[in-house]
């Protein structure tokens, strides 16, 4: 696409995101060859109408020189004449030949004024709690508004505004995608030791009363197909859903959840798209229920050497000299090179409620894996779940995982820091036997 056409799209992104009806355009854009079927499906999976409009405009900038005038034709053919007129007013005279005449004698509409994104962005981030929430009281006073039940471990649990209901049997589905052997032409190394991670997590979530399904060595389209199949299941009789992905990863641009994971064919799926499959819009039977994603993959290519602290604050570290990473250099595809979201995306982005994404490493950094013992993150997560699931909520346990992994060192030098994007609304306690 020519640079002047990109400038028109960027200058009118607020109007496009606010008013564009992307679903009416898909057939025309596909027929005219602007997008492929896979690209259309990617856009459709990005979320709400506004999310789809935003992704469509972003992807449109990466297409050929005819993409802009063909996009205008689709707008006119679908009756979206106001937007077509706005874009025409921003184009140089004579540079476009629309399929039908459109009135252009109107003032140029500028993007709507918005408040500073920095303050809003900071407020949004501050909403996510980072400290463990207080446990529900084990000696509650009777209340007609709250229902209490006793677990086998003797811990009183309440299904109320503070705690998710987690007593279905089975509790829910757990999908594990374990990519170990990558095609040679991808340049991605095989992930030795990942089978150990997969076996540990399969045993652990079966013990937590989940129905576990393991898929191995999936290509990008196969990953999407499995996630789509999971989203189409009827989850109405279950209380939770878990997705675990073990693969190589990379850093891509995003407006919600960072990072991406690779299929064995060298094509990646953004974590943001992975979570969209199970959100309230695409999977109604999981509305209001916790959806948990555990990502053992690199968030980028940087290696963290840490910083010096007092010896009293550091426990003995572990980690071998032959530890490997799941890092891939930052992608050079259109996904990672596209321009950042405009202000409207940050200001109006809805909260993806009841979703928690736990990453094995901080965005932008590598994740370490021992070929004989498995990854630091999964090994620690498995042990913490075994030791503490009967007494602690999920967020508290993930904080314990963060602390223990942070004490490790690879090759006597490199560190790793797991973390989570937490949009859960209540405490979550797993079932334990």
């Amino acid at each position: 696409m020519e640079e002047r056409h990109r400038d028109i799209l960027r200058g009118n992104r607020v109007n496009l995101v606010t008013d564009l009806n992307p679903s009416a355009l898909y057939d025309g854009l596909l027929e005219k060859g602007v997008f492929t079927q896979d690209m259309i499906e990617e856009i459709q999976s990005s979320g709400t109408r506004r999310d789809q409009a935003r992704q469509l405009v972003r992807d449109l900038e990466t297409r050929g020189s005819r993409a802009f005038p063909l996009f205008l034709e689709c707008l006119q053919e679908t009756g979206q004449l106001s937007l077509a007129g706005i874009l025409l007013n921003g184009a140089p005279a004579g540079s476009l030949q629309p399929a039908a005449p459109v009135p252009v004698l109107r003032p140029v509409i500028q993007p709507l004024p918005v408040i500073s994104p920095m303050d809003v962005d900071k407020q949004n981030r501050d909403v996510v709690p980072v400290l463990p929430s207080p446990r529900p009281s084990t000696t509650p006073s009777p209340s007609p508004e709250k229902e209490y039940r006793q677990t086998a471990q003797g811990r009183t649990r309440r299904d109320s505004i503070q705690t998710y209901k987690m007593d279905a049997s089975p509790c829910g589905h757990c999908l594990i995608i374990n990519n170990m052997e990558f095609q040679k032409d991808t340049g991605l190394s095989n992930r030795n030791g990942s089978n150990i991670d997969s076996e540990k997590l399969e045993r652990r979530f079966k013990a937590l009363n989940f129905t576990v399904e393991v898929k191995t060595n999936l290509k990008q389209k196969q990953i999407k197909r499995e996630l789509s199949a999971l989203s189409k299941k009827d989850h109405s009789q279950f209380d939770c859903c878990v997705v675990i992905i073990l693969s190589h990863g990379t850093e891509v641009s995003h407006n919600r959840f960072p990072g991406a994971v690779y299929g064995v064919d060298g094509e990646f799926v953004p974590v943001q798209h992975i979570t969209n499959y199970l959100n309230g819009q695409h999977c109604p039977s999981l509305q209001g229920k916790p959806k948990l994603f555990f990502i053992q993959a690199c968030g980028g290519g940087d290696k963290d050497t840490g910083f010096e602290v007092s010896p009293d604050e550091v426990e003995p570290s572990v980690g071998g000299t032959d530890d490997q990473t799941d890092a891939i250099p930052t992608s050079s595809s259109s996904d990672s090179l596209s321009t950042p979201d405009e202000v409207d995306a940050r200001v109006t982005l809805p909260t993806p409620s009841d979703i928690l994404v736990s990453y094995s490493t901080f965005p932008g950094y590598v994740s370490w894996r021992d070929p004989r013992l498995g990854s630091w993150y999964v090994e620690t997560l498995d042990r913490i779940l075994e030791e503490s699931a009967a007494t602690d909520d999920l967020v508290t346990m993930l904080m314990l995982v963060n602390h223990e992994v942070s004490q490790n060192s690879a090759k006597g030098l490199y560190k790793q820091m797991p973390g989570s994007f937490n949009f859960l609304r209540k405490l979550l306690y797993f079932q334990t036997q």
Side-chain angles (χ1 to χ4, degrees):
M1 178 177 292
E2 297 181 16
E3 190 61 34
R4 68 179 186 274
H5 293 160
R6 288 196 183 96
D7 290 339
I8 294 171
L9 291 175
R10 293 167 185 168
N12 290 282
R13 183 173 298 194
V14 173
N15 294 326
L16 288 166
V17 170
T18 301
D19 298 328
L20 186 68
N21 179 12
S23 61
L25 300 173
Y26 292 143
D27 289 342
L29 292 173
L30 183 61
E31 180 181 344
K32 297 177 190 299
V34 178
F35 292 135
T36 65
Q37 183 63 45
D38 284 346
M39 296 181 74
I40 294 291
E41 292 175 359
E42 259 328 302
I43 296 170
Q44 289 174 320
S45 70
S46 60
T48 64
R49 181 201 61 78
R50 292 176 65 93
D51 291 332
Q52 293 183 44
R54 187 178 299 112
Q55 189 66 44
L56 188 153
V57 174
R58 189 185 304 163
D59 289 351
L60 188 65
E61 295 178 17
T62 69
R63 310 306 289 162
S65 60
R66 292 287 297 158
F68 187 82
L70 291 174
F71 176 61
L72 282 179
E73 288 183 13
C74 289
L75 287 175
Q76 295 161 353
E77 291 168 0
T78 57
Q80 302 185 61
L81 302 181
S82 176
L83 286 175
I86 292 172
L87 297 180
L88 277 169
N89 273 312
S95 63
L96 301 174
Q97 297 180 353
V102 176
V104 297
L105 297 177
R106 61 179 69 186
V108 176
I109 299 178
Q110 299 297 328
L112 299 174
V114 293
I115 63 175
S116 168
M118 299 302 294
D119 293 337
V120 175
D121 198 34
K122 182 177 184 303
Q123 292 170 9
N124 288 342
R125 290 197 303 269
D126 290 343
V127 172
V128 183
V130 296
L131 295 175
S133 303
R135 290 270 318 281
S137 171
T138 56
T139 57
S141 56
S143 169
E145 299 177 358
K146 298 176 181 178
E147 176 186 352
Y148 296 89
R149 61 186 177 85
Q150 194 78 11
T151 67
Q153 292 76 25
R155 177 181 63 195
T156 300
R157 297 265 302 279
R158 65 183 172 188
D159 294 328
S160 68
I161 194 171
Q162 289 94 357
T163 308
Y164 283 109
K165 177 181 179 296
M166 291 284 286
D167 59 358
S169 186
C171 188
H173 291 286
C174 172
L175 172 64
I176 299 176
I177 297 176
N178 179 27
N179 284 347
M180 299 183 295
E181 300 173 355
F182 292 78
Q183 296 176 3
K184 292 182 179 180
D185 59 354
T186 65
L188 303 177
S189 61
N190 290 340
R191 301 181 60 256
N192 299 323
S194 187
N195 59 313
I196 299 172
D197 287 346
S198 179
E199 291 167 2
K200 285 180 179 177
L201 292 174
E202 180 180 6
R203 288 194 300 268
R204 182 58 48 213
F205 278 89
K206 283 182 177 178
L208 297 175
N209 201 16
F210 282 83
T211 300
V212 180
E213 186 175 13
V214 180
K215 299 293 182 178
T216 304
N217 296 331
L218 300 187
K219 298 179 181 179
Q220 180 209 52
K221 289 185 178 179
Q222 292 173 320
I223 293 175
K224 294 179 181 178
R225 190 177 303 126
E226 290 298 331
L227 291 169
S228 178
L230 181 62
S231 72
K232 293 175 182 177
K233 291 181 182 289
D234 182 5
H235 300 264
S236 57
Q237 301 302 313
F238 306 122
D239 292 333
C240 183
C241 188
V242 176
V243 173
I244 300 169
I245 300 185
L246 316 171
S247 187
H248 283 301
T250 189
E251 189 175 14
V252 298
S253 65
H254 62 92
N255 59 8
R256 195 167 303 171
F257 297 104
V261 295
Y262 277 97
V264 296
D265 57 350
E267 300 294 328
F268 63 74
V269 184
V271 173
Q272 179 170 306
H273 294 173
I274 292 170
T275 61
N276 283 341
Y277 281 98
L278 299 182
N279 66 20
Q281 180 183 8
H282 293 105
C283 189
S285 60
L286 280 175
Q287 290 178 355
K289 301 177 182 180
K291 296 159 280 284
L292 312 178
F293 299 84
F294 298 90
I295 309 295
Q296 166 54 45
C298 281
D302 292 340
K303 294 180 180 179
D304 185 7
T305 57
F307 58 91
E308 292 187 7
V309 296
S310 166
D312 294 337
E313 299 180 29
V314 181
E315 299 173 6
S317 63
V318 297
T321 58
D322 56 350
D323 287 338
Q324 302 174 353
T325 78
D326 287 329
I328 300 299
T330 301
S331 170
S332 60
S333 72
S334 60
D335 280 340
S336 63
L337 294 179
S338 56
T339 57
D341 275 352
E342 298 295 336
V343 172
D344 76 286
R346 286 188 286 258
V347 173
T348 64
L349 186 66
T351 300
S353 62
D354 307 300
I355 288 178
L356 181 142
V357 182
S358 176
Y359 292 89
S360 62
T361 189
F362 192 81
Y365 287 86
V366 301
S367 182
W368 294 95
R369 169 175 35 81
D370 188 308
R372 298 162 300 163
L373 303 176
S375 67
W376 295 359
Y377 169 73
V378 170
E379 181 183 19
T380 307
L381 175 65
D382 176 59
R383 179 167 49 79
I384 294 296
L385 287 173
E386 179 181 23
E387 296 173 353
S388 303
T391 55
D392 291 328
D393 68 280
L394 175 60
V395 172
T396 299
M397 288 189 287
L398 290 177
M399 200 167 304
L400 294 174
V401 173
N402 294 352
H403 171 71
E404 295 205 14
V405 172
S406 72
Q407 305 301 309
N408 296 348
S409 293
K411 307 180 190 299
L413 176 64
Y414 298 117
K415 310 293 288 185
Q416 180 177 328
M417 186 69 238
S420 302
F421 278 59
N422 178 14
F423 293 95
L424 298 180
R425 297 176 294 114
K426 309 177 184 181
L427 296 178
L428 188 151
Y429 290 91
F430 287 115
Q431 296 181 29
T432 55
Q433 297 177 353

